[in-house]
Amino acid sequence: MAEQISPGQTRSGASEPAPRVRPAAVGGVVFAAFVMGIIGAYHAIAGLAAILNENYYQAQNDYAFDFDTNARGWVQMITGVIVFAAAVSLFSGRTWARIVVMTIAAASALENFFFTPYQPVWSAILIALDILVIWSLAMYGHREAHKVYGAPL
């Protein structure tokens, strides 16, 4: 009968030391989830403002990417809900959630680039936060994910 070995134990019976988890990496994913939630809420609120009041954002006459304000509001509100849902999915600890959030953060940064003439300072802040979220999730490894969420390796 073969001897059963529990996880974290070698054949000699000695336990392997637990891998060291970098606090910055664990904090990075929690930071990314909350920042993406705030960015999603901002997109949804800004989109709702554009839908309810078509004069909320003034049209830019000489801007190459000038879109209809009402259509812009709907796009921004829908993407806000998607960004918020992606932020919630980060708490699952799955690799696919990190990849999806990184992709959505890149799309959010691109969307804010197109929104720059309407609110330049706030758009620049959101672009910087999106880039920081992408960096935080790229530095976040498989072992850190399981330490945060308590899932078995």
Side-chain angles (χ1 to χ4, degrees):
M1 186 170 282
E3 178 184 343
Q4 291 187 354
I5 298 174
S6 63
Q9 193 175 34
T10 61
R11 289 246 181 238
S12 64
S15 294
E16 295 176 0
R20 181 160 157 64
V21 177
R22 297 179 313 239
V26 173
V29 75
V30 174
F31 170 80
F34 280 103
V35 168
M36 286 301 286
I38 291 169
I39 290 172
Y42 168 75
H43 280 304
I45 291 168
L48 187 61
I51 292 169
L52 295 177
N53 183 3
E54 288 191 21
N55 295 325
Y56 184 74
Y57 298 116
Q58 298 300 320
Q60 305 294 320
N61 294 333
D62 57 348
Y63 184 51
F65 301 108
D66 190 20
F67 301 110
D68 176 44
T69 310
N70 195 15
R72 168 98 182 128
W74 279 105
V75 168
Q76 197 167 21
M77 191 170 71
I78 291 168
T79 57
V81 171
I82 292 170
V83 169
F84 188 81
V88 171
S89 75
L90 271 179
F91 289 112
S92 71
R94 304 286 182 218
T95 302
W96 66 263
R98 291 195 333 260
I99 293 169
V100 165
V101 171
M102 288 170 54
T103 304
I104 289 175
S108 173
L110 185 62
E111 180 181 354
N112 282 301
F113 170 75
F114 290 123
F115 197 58
T116 302
Y118 300 103
Q119 291 185 341
V121 174
W122 188 244
S123 293
I125 291 170
L126 288 180
I127 290 170
L129 288 174
D130 285 328
I131 291 170
L132 190 57
V133 163
I134 293 169
W135 177 81
S136 294
L137 294 176
M139 298 304 294
Y140 183 70
H142 178 73
R143 291 203 177 273
E144 288 88 356
H146 292 289
K147 291 295 180 182
V148 172
Y149 307 111
L153 292 174

